[in-house]
């Protein structure tokens, strides 16, 4: 089975991946501020999810 390689994706998929990568940090910051002021279980879980996605993009796992 071939290894996943993000640069071999079709152009539309690369564009979607690039947009998702650019939007992740602002969403993480917004969610972090929301979690600080109104901490609910859902907000904490969503913040952890966004943090995980951001770290995955940062380390080029995705």
């Amino acid at each position: 089975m071939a290894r996943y390689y993000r640069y071999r994706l079709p152009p539309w998929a690369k564009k979607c991946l690039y947009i998702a990568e650019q939007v992740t940090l602002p969403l993480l910051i917004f969610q972090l501020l929301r979690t600080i002021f109104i901490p609910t279980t859902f907000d904490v879980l969503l913040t952890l999810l966004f943090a995980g996605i951001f770290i995955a993009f940062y380390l080029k796992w995705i």
Side-chain angles (χ1 to χ4, degrees):
M1 193 158 151
R3 187 166 184 263
Y4 171 74
Y5 188 60
R6 76 188 289 184
Y7 300 107
R8 289 175 50 186
L9 294 172
W12 62 270
K14 282 193 279 189
K15 187 174 182 179
C16 289
L17 194 61
Y18 179 72
I19 290 171
E21 190 172 357
Q22 296 301 314
V23 170
T24 304
L25 182 61
L27 281 175
L28 176 62
I29 292 170
F30 171 75
Q31 190 60 36
L32 186 63
L33 290 174
R34 182 179 158 148
T35 303
I36 289 171
F37 292 117
I38 310 167
T40 63
T41 304
F42 180 72
D43 287 328
V44 172
L45 293 175
L46 204 55
T47 303
L48 291 174
L49 177 70
F50 283 141
I53 292 172
F54 177 74
I55 290 170
F57 276 127
Y58 183 76
L59 296 176
K60 300 293 183 191
W61 290 343
I62 297 178

